[in-house]
């Protein structure tokens, strides 16, 4: 193909004022400016109500739920393994090489202070390598027979000799029947942090409903200054006129950060007060707004 730069042809075509005016008159609706509104609003940010759990809270949750949530179900055990892949029909020489490698890693695993999970991440050729070889809890009938027999014969903390299966050689370590705090700490942290955010969002919604009533009864400024709302640091803000297409709105921010609010307020008439407006990012509540349309100018053709 052949490319041409626009700049090479600038000035080659001349458009007169009359031609431009005629084109504009023929396509006037194309140049229509949208409605504009000005609002005052109050924002309730749930994050100011979050009381983030500390390390002790995570540990307390673990202790309270150690058996019910992190313990092995009846008849099941918890194990990790390191897999050295080997075909069932591998020749004798390859078999010896893989077994020798497995025994070498086994010696490292049985050394004092060894970290089995770290060794699994380094040496395992199975799908659980990235998880430190963690197989979770499993019962009889869930694993291939050679693996199951070896795993269930182990004492807690014991590491097996290399076990041959159709997948290759396994080194198996039986873990304690209750997962350790370190093993589940990230899981607990995520759970409690999400619960904290949900609780804060619920509390913020309660504040927002009360604040809406006060805005309707006393006006935005007086409502915002009531003592009962000091905890949420609510502050009244006012915008100049703006359109739906403005990318950055004074005293509000970027359009794409506030699109749900903007869509809602453009459905209101002048002097109308919104219901509580919820804005979200994915499934997470970002903020609650109450807005009042101070002015509204209809769209026009310039």
């Amino acid at each position: 193909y052949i490319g041409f730069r626009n700049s090479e042809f600038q000035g080659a075509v001349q458009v007169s004022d009359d031609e431009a005016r005629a084109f504009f008159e023929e396509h006037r609706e194309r140049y229509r400016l949208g409605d504009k509104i000005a609002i005052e609003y109050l924002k309730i940010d749930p994050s100011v109500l979050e009381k983030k759990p500390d390390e002790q809270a995570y540990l307390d949750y673990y202790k309270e739920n150690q058996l019910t949530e992190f313990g092995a179900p009846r008849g099941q055990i918890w194990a990790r393994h390191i897999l050295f892949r080997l075909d069932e029909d591998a020749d004798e020489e390859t078999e010896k090489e893989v077994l020798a490698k497995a025994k070498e890693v086994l010696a490292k695993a049985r050394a004092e202070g060894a970290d089995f999970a770290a060794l699994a991440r380094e040496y395992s050729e199975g799908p659980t390598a990235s998880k430190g070889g963690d197989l979770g809890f499993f019962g009889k009938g869930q694993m291939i027979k050679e693996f199951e027999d070896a795993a269930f014969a182990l004492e807690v903390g014991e590491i097996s000799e290399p076990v041959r299966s159709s997948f290759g050689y396994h080194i198996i370590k039986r873990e304690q029947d209750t997962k350790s705090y370190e093993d589940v700490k990230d899981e607990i942290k995520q759970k409690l942090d999400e619960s904290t955010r949900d609780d804060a969002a619920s509390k913020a919604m309660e504040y927002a409903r009360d604040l809406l009533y006060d805005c309707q009864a006393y006006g935005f400024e007086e409502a915002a200054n009531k003592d009962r709302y000091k905890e949420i640091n609510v502050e009244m803000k006012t915008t100049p006129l703006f359109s739906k297409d403005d990318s950055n709105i004074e005293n509000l921010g970027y359009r794409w950060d506030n699109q749900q609010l903007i869509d809602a307020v453009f459905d209101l008439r002048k002097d109308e007060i919104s219901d509580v407006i919820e804005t979200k990012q994915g499934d997470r509540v970002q903020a609650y707004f109450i807005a009042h349309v101070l002015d509204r100018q209809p769209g026009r053709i310039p």
Side-chain angles (χ1 to χ4, degrees):
Y1 64 89
I2 300 175
F4 299 93
R5 294 180 182 277
N6 292 340
S7 59
E8 295 174 1
F9 299 94
Q10 286 180 355
V13 178
Q14 300 293 329
V15 178
S16 68
D17 289 345
D18 288 341
E19 288 175 318
R21 188 175 296 107
F23 182 89
F24 173 75
E25 292 297 334
E26 187 176 347
H27 304 90
R28 288 173 62 86
E29 284 300 322
R30 184 184 297 181
Y31 300 96
R32 178 179 290 279
L33 300 176
D35 290 3
K36 288 190 172 187
I37 64 172
I39 64 171
E40 60 181 2
Y41 70 91
L42 300 173
K43 177 182 178 180
I44 300 96
D45 182 356
S47 68
V48 304
L49 297 170
E50 286 183 25
K51 296 179 180 176
K52 293 186 180 296
D54 57 14
E55 186 71 22
Q56 188 60 48
Y58 302 140
L59 185 57
D60 289 344
Y61 182 89
Y62 172 76
K63 290 177 178 177
E64 291 169 7
N65 299 277
Q66 187 173 0
L67 295 177
T68 56
E69 209 168 318
F70 308 115
R74 185 181 295 275
Q76 296 191 7
I77 63 172
W78 175 30
R80 297 179 186 270
H81 79 137
I82 302 172
L83 172 65
F84 302 88
R85 287 197 176 277
L86 184 65
D87 291 338
E88 283 187 281
D89 56 356
D91 59 57
E92 185 177 350
E93 184 178 350
T94 304
E95 185 98 19
K96 286 181 179 179
E97 288 177 359
V98 174
L99 179 57
K101 183 180 178 182
K103 287 182 175 180
E104 182 182 334
V105 176
L106 173 61
K108 294 181 179 182
R110 285 177 171 173
E112 187 176 352
D115 185 336
F116 192 92
L119 291 171
R121 282 189 285 270
E122 182 176 356
Y123 293 106
S124 182
E125 297 167 352
T128 63
S130 63
K131 299 191 297 181
D134 189 355
L135 296 166
F137 296 117
F138 58 89
K140 291 189 175 182
Q142 292 182 256
M143 300 291 180
I144 52 176
K145 187 175 188 310
E146 302 90 339
F147 188 100
E148 177 188 297
D149 289 345
F152 275 86
L154 295 172
E155 298 293 331
V156 172
E158 187 179 0
I159 300 173
S160 73
E161 292 290 326
V163 178
R164 184 66 161 102
S165 78
S166 57
F167 297 103
Y169 281 100
H170 308 259
I171 299 171
I172 307 167
K173 181 181 180 183
R174 180 171 174 181
E175 298 284 8
Q176 58 187 352
D177 291 338
T178 302
K179 290 190 176 184
S180 72
Y181 175 62
E182 289 303 319
D183 284 312
V184 296
K185 179 179 175 181
D186 289 344
E187 178 186 338
I188 292 172
K189 184 177 185 301
Q190 181 180 358
K191 183 173 186 175
L192 294 193
D193 287 355
E194 286 180 359
S195 177
T196 298
R197 283 192 292 269
D198 290 344
D199 290 345
S202 296
K203 191 173 181 181
M205 184 58 172
E206 293 175 10
Y207 270 118
R209 291 193 182 110
D210 291 342
L211 187 57
L212 174 60
Y213 174 84
D214 286 339
C215 286
Q216 294 168 335
Y218 308 108
F220 274 53
E221 188 168 4
E222 185 175 344
N225 289 325
K226 286 185 174 291
D227 288 342
R228 73 177 76 171
Y229 303 119
K230 283 184 178 179
E231 183 183 11
I232 56 174
N233 300 323
V234 68
E235 178 185 358
M236 189 185 78
K237 292 188 177 181
T238 303
T239 72
L241 286 164
F242 66 91
S243 74
K244 263 191 171 184
D245 298 323
D246 289 347
S247 60
N248 193 7
I249 302 162
E250 186 179 341
N251 287 335
L252 181 59
Y254 291 109
R255 180 183 73 228
W256 47 85
D257 290 334
N258 297 281
Q259 194 63 60
Q260 293 156 310
L261 168 65
I262 292 168
D263 289 342
V265 295
F266 268 89
D267 287 337
L268 302 176
R269 299 181 298 274
K270 182 180 177 180
D271 295 325
E272 190 174 0
I273 295 175
S274 71
D275 289 326
V276 175
I277 300 167
E278 180 184 76
T279 62
K280 299 178 100 175
Q281 186 174 33
D283 293 331
R284 185 177 299 179
V285 174
Q286 294 295 102
Y288 294 105
F289 290 87
I290 302 167
H292 173 214
V293 178
L294 299 172
D295 193 10
R296 183 168 194 131
Q297 293 183 358
R300 61 186 180 86
I301 299 174

